[in-house]
């Protein structure tokens, strides 16, 4: 957030920004080619055409995600330009319009900053997916070797059933199958581990961005309350604007809310699952409800509809 609380003055880093190191910069930033370039379109179309066959579909997904991050980066840049231009336009208006538009510009610029940080955190999801792609690529040779040996054995049994090479190939097939079992087990384990970790990165970053944007939107609406939108008759003068301290305090309150936000104290609680097997699967239980009061369908027994609706998600 702007320490000067204005788009028309220089900005300084906040205490939170100094104390908390930023996440690694996304690998998609600072590239010469944009999201609409021919090179970018070519990369997306050809991502699934090269490399080990097992890894092609995931490779294409990773390339598309990279393009998505570049699009988000463009949105962040445009958002900051909008914030600056709003403040520039508002400066030539009445005092209340000038002050409110300047402060709204601060909030919009902060959204752009949050979107920029979101890209860095979102990139952790994409990078984690790469580890699955890499293990898929490493498993492909063992699969190909097993298939090749199997085909050779079938060919020899058809062409020369008495060939001594058959027994040798069968021994190689046993070793290849053992190697393949190890590789497949490793693929299965890593896929689940990394898939869970990658989408935790994505959902956590989405949750942070959305909740912080919701906070900013609320403070933005509070700023609008400082505008006197009552109609005036020709020649009538509006009362002098005295909301400068109030608008600054709104920005300060917004900054404090954003600084103190964490996943642990976020406003969005864990979801209440409608499909569960017992009371232990429900995140939040209404006061006074015990496990024995849950019927076979997972509904609260012996309570009317009004009480049921009081379950907090």
């Amino acid at each position: 957030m702007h320490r000067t609380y204005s788009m028309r003055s220089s900005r300084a880093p906040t205490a939170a920004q100094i104390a908390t190191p930023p996440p690694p910069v996304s690998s998609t930033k600072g590239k010469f080619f944009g999201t609409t370039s021919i090179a970018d379109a070519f990369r997306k179309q050809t991502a699934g055409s090269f490399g080990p066959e097992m890894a092609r579909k995931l490779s294409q997904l990773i390339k598309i995600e990279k393009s998505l991050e570049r699009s988000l980066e463009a949105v962040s840049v445009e958002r900051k330009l909008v914030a600056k231009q709003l403040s520039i336009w508002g400066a030539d208006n009445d005092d209340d319009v000038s002050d409110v538009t300047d402060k709204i510009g601060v909030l919009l610029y902060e959204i752009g900053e949050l979107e920029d940080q979101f890209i860095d955190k979102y990139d952790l999801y994409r990078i984690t997916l790469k580890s699955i792609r890499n293990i898929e690529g490493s498993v492909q040779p063992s699969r190909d070797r097993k298939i090749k040996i199997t085909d050779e054995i079938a060919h020899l049994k058809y062409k020369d059933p008495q060939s001594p090479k058959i027994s040798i190939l069968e021994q190689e097939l046993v070793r290849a199958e053992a190697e393949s079992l190890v590789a497949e087990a490793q693929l299965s384990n890593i896929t689940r581990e990394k898939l869970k970790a990658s989408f935790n990165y994505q959902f956590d970053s989405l949750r942070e961005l959305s909740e912080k944007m919701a906070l900013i939107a609320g403070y933005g609406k509070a700023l609008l309350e400082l505008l006197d939108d009552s109609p005036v008759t020709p020649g009538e003068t509006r009362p002098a604007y005295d909301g400068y301290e109030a608008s600054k305090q709104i920005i300060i309150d917004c900054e404090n809310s954003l600084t103190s936000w964490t996943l642990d104290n976020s406003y969005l609680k864990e979801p209440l699952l409608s499909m569960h097997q017992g009371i232990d699967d429900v995140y939040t239980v209404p006061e006074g409800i015990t496990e024995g009061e849950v019927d076979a369908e997972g509904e609260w027994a012996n309570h009317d509809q009004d009480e049921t609706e009081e379950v907090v998600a």
Side-chain angles (χ1 to χ4, degrees):
M1 190 69 71
H2 300 256
R3 278 296 181 184
T4 55
Y5 309 114
S6 173
M7 286 298 299
R8 299 160 196 160
S9 303
S10 60
R11 297 184 301 115
T14 65
Q17 290 172 334
I18 295 174
T20 306
V25 177
S26 168
S27 58
T28 64
K29 290 182 177 178
K31 303 299 182 181
F32 177 76
F33 294 108
T35 58
T36 58
S37 67
I38 297 176
D40 187 72
F42 176 77
R43 281 192 295 268
K44 286 190 290 185
Q45 292 176 359
T46 59
S49 302
F50 303 101
E53 184 177 357
M54 281 185 64
R56 289 179 183 177
K57 292 180 180 179
L58 189 53
S59 293
Q60 192 166 18
L61 171 61
I62 292 170
K63 287 294 183 182
I64 294 173
E65 289 285 10
K66 189 172 185 177
S67 178
L68 172 62
E69 288 182 28
R70 288 175 175 168
S71 298
L72 294 172
E73 183 182 359
V75 171
S76 172
V77 171
E78 295 293 334
R79 181 95 63 187
K80 295 175 184 177
L81 292 176
V82 166
K84 292 178 180 179
Q85 191 61 34
L86 175 64
S87 179
I88 292 172
W89 167 77
D92 296 330
N93 283 266
D94 294 339
D95 291 345
D96 56 346
V97 174
S98 175
D99 183 47
V100 170
T101 54
D102 185 39
K103 299 301 190 294
I104 291 178
V106 172
L107 297 183
L108 293 180
Y109 196 96
E110 182 64 18
I111 292 177
E113 290 285 326
L114 292 174
E115 289 171 331
D116 193 55
Q117 297 168 18
F118 169 76
I119 297 169
D120 296 335
K121 296 175 181 178
Y122 190 90
D123 197 51
L124 295 175
Y125 146 77
R126 191 179 67 87
I127 292 174
T128 306
L129 283 182
K130 286 185 176 182
S131 58
I132 304 178
R133 179 201 62 187
N134 294 339
I135 192 67
E136 284 182 343
S138 66
V139 169
Q140 186 71 55
S142 65
R143 283 190 179 183
D144 293 343
R145 181 166 176 263
K146 186 173 67 172
I147 293 173
K148 180 180 179 181
I149 295 174
T150 301
D151 290 343
E152 289 180 0
I153 292 174
H155 178 72
L156 280 176
K157 285 184 175 180
Y158 174 77
K159 185 177 180 180
D160 186 7
Q162 305 302 321
S163 174
K165 291 181 62 178
I166 294 178
S167 60
I168 298 175
L169 288 173
E170 287 177 341
Q171 294 175 6
E172 290 185 12
L173 180 59
V174 171
R175 290 192 294 268
E177 287 177 339
E179 293 174 1
S180 180
L181 283 175
V182 173
E184 295 288 349
Q186 185 181 21
L187 172 62
S188 177
N189 294 335
I190 291 180
T191 296
R192 284 159 177 76
E193 175 191 350
K194 298 301 182 181
L195 183 64
K196 191 171 183 178
S198 64
F199 275 96
N200 270 325
Y201 284 133
Q202 180 180 150
F203 292 142
D204 285 346
S205 59
L206 281 170
R207 187 171 177 178
E208 178 179 359
L209 177 63
S210 59
E211 290 203 22
K212 286 185 175 180
M213 289 179 71
L215 281 173
I216 292 175
Y219 287 103
K221 295 193 71 173
L223 284 172
L224 294 177
E225 295 299 319
L226 300 177
L227 279 177
D228 180 11
D229 60 348
S230 59
V232 296
T233 59
E236 182 182 357
T237 303
R238 290 187 184 276
Y241 177 67
D242 62 352
Y244 292 105
E245 288 301 318
S247 65
K248 180 178 178 179
Q249 188 59 48
I250 290 173
I251 298 297
I252 294 174
D253 291 343
C254 181
E255 178 183 21
N256 292 336
S257 296
L258 294 175
T259 302
S260 62
W261 186 97
T262 64
L263 280 173
D264 294 333
N265 65 4
S266 64
Y267 301 95
L268 179 65
K269 303 307 178 185
E270 298 295 342
L272 178 66
L273 302 179
S274 61
M275 298 177 63
H276 54 270
Q277 298 177 350
I279 195 70
D280 294 334
D281 298 318
V282 182
Y283 289 96
T284 306
V285 182
E287 185 177 355
I289 299 296
T290 61
E291 183 171 358
E293 293 177 281
V294 179
D295 62 19
E297 296 298 324
E299 301 295 339
W300 307 117
N302 302 322
H303 287 266
D304 58 26
Q305 182 65 25
D306 291 339
E307 290 177 323
T308 302
E309 292 175 352
E310 291 176 4
V311 179
V312 180

